[in-house]
Amino acid sequence: MLLRGSLFAVLLSLFFMAGLVQAEDLIISVQLDGAPEGKKDTLLSGLSIVKHQKNQLLSSKRIHRLHEQAVDELSEMLPVYGYYKAKVTSKLEKKDNIWLASYQLNLAEPVTIQAVNVTIEGEGLHDESFQWLLENFPLKEGEVLNHEQYESAKKNLRRLAAERGYFDGELTEHRVEVSLANNKATIYLVYQSGVRYVFSKTVFPKTVINNELLLKLSPIKQGAPYLASKVLALRSHLNNSGYFNSVSVTTLIDERQNGVVPLAISLEPETQYRYSAGLGFGTDSGARASLGWENRYVNNRGHRFSAGTKFSQIGNSLSADYQMPFWSPKISDVGFNAEFKNKDTESSESRSFAVGSYYKTDRWGWNETGSIKFLNENFDVSEDDNTSTLVIPSIAWSKTWADNSIYTRQGGRLSLSLSGASEAVLSDTTFAQMVLRGKYIQSIGEKGRFITRGALGATDVSDFTKLPSSLRFFAGGDSSIRGFDFESLGPEGDDGEVTGGRYLLVGSVEYERMLVGNWGVAVFSDFGNAVNSLHDPLEYSAGLGIRWKSPIGLIRFDIAKGLSDSADSIGFHVVIGPDL
C-alpha cells in the first residue's frame, strides 16, 4: 500500500512538472491600436492579460478568458479619458507557441466639457491662493473630459485647504453630468472651506537652549493664519541650528478648537562635545591631517566654541572660533576667530596671525558673510621679504545647489568676495580686491557629466611689495591649471622666481563618463594665469583622468601636460572629495 501511494505521488509530481514546462512555453504578445494620444501604455498596463503575461500557470483556457476580459477592461477605461462611445474589436490567434492578442479601438467623438462650475464658500472665498487655483483650474471649457484630471483637481482643493489651515473644509458637491446625446459634460464642484485656523502659542520643551532663543528660531507667531510651510520652516530651522539630534514638529489637527490649532514639538539635543579627525592626500598639499573639537552649546544662549589644527607638507594652521547666534531678521550669527598659519611652497614662505570678527546671514537666497580682521603676515616671495600689518574689512556672498552633495549630476556653486585695507586705518598698504569663483555641473545622459569652473580676481594696490603673499594671485595645481605645479604660475621677479600677480584668470572644461560600475574616465583642458597685466599671455594644459566613486567620495586621478613652450613636465594630480 505504501509503495502504491509513493508511486502515485511520483506520477502526480511528474504530471505537475510537465504542466509547468508546457506553461512556460506559452508566450503572449499583446497589441493595441487606435489608443488616445499618450495613453497607450496606460491602457496596456491596466489589462489583466498584460499583467499575467509571465504567469507560469497560464493555460489556453485562461488566455481565452483573459482576452475576453480585456475587452471589458478597455471599455471601462476609455470613458476616463472622455471616450464614452468607443468600440473595441478584438482578435486572438495562436502561431506555434505564441498567442497574439490584438485590440483595435474605434474611439468615436470624445465628450468635451461644456461648463465648469467651481464655487468656494466660507473664509476661503477671499483667500488669494484659492482664487489663483480657480483661475488656473486644469479643466476648461471646450477640452476633452478627463476624469483623472477631475480627481486630481479635487485633491488639489483638499490639499490647498489643509496647507492653509482650513481643516474643516469639505467638498459638499462634486459631480460630472455627461450628456451622450450631444457629447457634452458639465462639472459641478462646491468646496465649503469653513474657518481658517490660526496658530496657538508655540510651546517648546525644556532643552539645552533657552526658550527666548528658540522663539527667535521660530517663524510662527501666535494668532497668525496657519501655513504648513511655516511648520516646515520651523522644523528646518531647528534641524539646521546644530543643537538637536532629532526634531519633530507636528500639527495637532484633532485637538483644534475655537479656530486655533496647536503644535507638538519634540527636541532631542546633540551631544555637547564633538571631536573630529581626518587624514587625506592631495598633490598640491601632499599628506595632510586635521584634528578638531567643538562645544556645541557653551551656555543656554546657544554660544559655540570650536578649535582645530591642520597639518600638511606645505603648511600648518591652528584656529579657534567663538560663535553666538544673533537670529535677528537681518543677522543670524556673529562670532570672533583667531588663526595662526605658516605656509611653505616652492613660490613663497609665510607666517601669519589673524584675529577678527564676523557675521553671517541669508540675503536674497545667498549666504552672506561680513568680517573685519587684523592680519600680521611675514612673507618671503621672490625678491619681496617683508612684514605687513593690515586691517581688512570684507564681505562675501556664496550659493551652492546640487541634486546630490557627494556626486553631483546637476548643480553648481558661485561666490563673490570683496575686501580691502587702507593706510589711513592702521594698515601698511592700501588695496581693494575682488574674487569671483564658480563651478557648474551638467549631466549628459545617464553616465556622462560636463564640468566647467572658473575664477576671476583683480587687485588694486598702492604698494605691491607690501601686499602679503596670501593676498596675491598664483596659478597652477589641482584646482587651478593641472599640468603645472601648485602656485608655480604668475609674474616673475628679477631673480626668476614667481612673485604673484594682481589679476587672476583661470578656467576649465571637462567631460566625464562612468564606464564600468564605479569607475569612469575624463578628458579636460585647463587655461589661465596669474598676471599683472590683462595683456599678459595665458597658459594652457590638457589631460586625461580616471574617476572612482569610492566609499569616502569621488577620487580623481588626473595626468595633464602643459601646452605652452615653457611647459616641460607632466603633472600628476590626485583629489579626493565632493564635487562642490
Side-chain angles (χ1 to χ4, degrees), residues 346-409:
E346 292 186 6
S347 58
S348 67
E349 295 180 20
S350 64
R351 183 185 298 267
S352 65
F353 173 74
V355 60
S357 179
Y358 64 89
Y359 75 85
K360 295 180 179 180
T361 189
D362 291 329
R363 194 185 305 275
W364 311 305
W366 292 68
N367 297 322
E368 178 181 299
T369 302
S371 67
I372 184 169
K373 71 177 178 180
F374 171 86
L375 172 68
N376 179 266
E377 182 171 334
N378 176 269
F379 58 95
D380 183 1
V381 52
S382 184
E383 298 173 318
D384 296 333
D385 185 356
N386 219 327
T387 298
S388 286
T389 299
L390 301 171
V391 176
I392 306 174
S394 66
I395 188 168
W397 297 273
S398 65
K399 187 172 187 176
T400 300
W401 64 100
D403 58 353
N404 185 299
S405 60
I406 303 299
Y407 185 76
T408 303
R409 299 276 299 159

Side-chain angles (χ1 to χ4, degrees), residues 257-270:
Q257 58 181 348
N258 301 323
V260 179
V261 61
L263 300 177
I265 302 174
S266 175
L267 303 172
E268 181 181 329
E270 283 277 13

Side-chain angles (χ1 to χ4, degrees), residues 273-558:
Y273 302 109
R274 176 178 178 268
Y275 303 89
S276 62
L279 295 173
F281 176 83
T283 45
D284 284 353
S285 63
R288 57 179 181 262
S290 63
L291 295 172
W293 173 83
E294 180 184 13
N295 185 340
R296 287 191 172 100
Y297 31 90
V298 175
N299 49 44
N300 67 358
R301 297 190 300 278
H303 293 195
R304 296 187 183 94
F305 179 75
S306 62
T309 183
K310 297 179 181 179
F311 308 94
S312 74
Q313 292 177 240
I314 63 170
N316 308 310
S317 67
L318 178 65
S319 62
D321 183 275
Y322 193 90
Q323 184 173 313
M324 301 172 290
F326 207 70
W327 287 321
S328 74
K330 295 184 178 180
I331 299 176
S332 58
D333 297 281
V334 295
F336 302 91
N337 53 17
E339 183 180 42
F340 171 79
K341 182 189 295 183
N342 67 59
K343 184 177 178 181
D344 185 359
T345 69
E346 292 186 6
S347 58
S348 67
E349 295 180 20
S350 64
R351 183 185 298 267
S352 65
F353 173 74
V355 60
S357 179
Y358 64 89
Y359 75 85
K360 295 180 179 180
T361 189
D362 291 329
R363 194 185 305 275
W364 311 305
W366 292 68
N367 297 322
E368 178 181 299
T369 302
S371 67
I372 184 169
K373 71 177 178 180
F374 171 86
L375 172 68
N376 179 266
E377 182 171 334
N378 176 269
F379 58 95
D380 183 1
V381 52
S382 184
E383 298 173 318
D384 296 333
D385 185 356
N386 219 327
T387 298
S388 286
T389 299
L390 301 171
V391 176
I392 306 174
S394 66
I395 188 168
W397 297 273
S398 65
K399 187 172 187 176
T400 300
W401 64 100
D403 58 353
N404 185 299
S405 60
I406 303 299
Y407 185 76
T408 303
R409 299 276 299 159
Q410 185 77 44
R413 69 165 183 258
L414 191 62
S415 67
L416 171 66
S417 65
L418 305 173
S419 61
S422 173
E423 294 176 61
V425 187
L426 305 176
S427 298
D428 290 333
T429 188
T430 298
F431 82 94
Q433 188 173 86
M434 178 277 293
V435 180
L436 175 66
R437 299 182 186 276
K439 185 174 184 179
Y440 181 71
I441 301 174
Q442 172 68 55
S443 63
I444 299 178
E446 295 183 359
K447 296 185 177 182
R449 297 194 305 172
F450 173 74
I451 304 170
T452 183
R453 58 175 169 82
L456 292 172
T459 308
D460 183 21
V461 59
S462 60
D463 187 349
F464 189 79
T465 63
K466 293 182 179 180
L467 189 69
S469 60
S470 62
L471 296 173
R472 301 184 185 190
F473 294 123
F474 298 85
D478 299 339
S479 58
S480 180
I481 306 174
R482 287 163 287 188
F484 296 89
D485 291 339
F486 178 60
E487 295 190 351
S488 64
L489 297 177
E492 298 179 354
D494 293 338
D495 59 357
E497 298 294 327
V498 176
T499 64
R502 297 170 185 260
Y503 304 102
L504 177 69
L505 171 62
V506 170
S508 175
V509 290
E510 179 174 328
Y511 176 72
E512 174 189 290
R513 183 173 180 82
M514 303 308 294
L515 297 179
V516 180
N518 291 327
W519 290 89
V521 296
V523 57
F524 58 85
S525 178
D526 300 341
F527 58 89
N529 209 345
V531 296
N532 281 330
S533 170
L534 298 180
H535 300 290
D536 291 348
L538 301 181
E539 301 285 354
Y540 299 86
S541 70
L544 301 172
I546 296 176
R547 302 291 180 261
W548 177 38
K549 292 182 185 178
S550 77
I552 61 173
L554 189 65
I555 299 181
R556 307 165 185 85
F557 305 91
D558 291 328

Side-chain angles (χ1 to χ4, degrees), residues 60-130:
S60 298
K61 183 178 180 180
R62 189 171 187 185
I63 291 174
H64 277 90
R65 187 166 61 249
L66 289 171
H67 174 65
E68 294 172 359
Q69 185 178 340
V71 176
D72 295 332
E73 291 170 338
L74 287 168
S75 299
E76 292 174 1
M77 287 189 287
L78 286 169
V80 172
Y81 306 107
Y83 296 95
Y84 280 75
K85 297 179 179 180
K87 302 296 182 181
V88 183
T89 303
S90 64
K91 183 178 181 181
L92 181 66
E93 55 184 346
K94 183 181 180 183
K95 294 182 179 180
D96 297 327
N97 65 329
I98 299 177
W99 288 87
L100 176 61
S102 59
Y103 307 93
Q104 177 67 48
L105 305 182
N106 182 7
L107 297 176
E109 287 296 320
V111 171
T112 57
I113 300 173
Q114 183 176 22
V116 179
N117 302 302
V118 184
T119 304
I120 305 296
E121 298 177 347
E123 291 186 12
L125 174 63
H126 306 291
D127 191 313
E128 292 182 357
S129 294
F130 276 104

Side-chain angles (χ1 to χ4, degrees), residues 132-151:
W132 184 92
L133 184 64
L134 293 182
E135 293 172 2
N136 296 273
F137 203 70
L139 298 167
K140 301 185 184 300
E141 295 180 10
E143 294 182 348
V144 175
L145 177 64
N146 187 316
H147 286 271
E148 285 183 344
Q149 289 183 343
Y150 171 72
E151 293 299 326

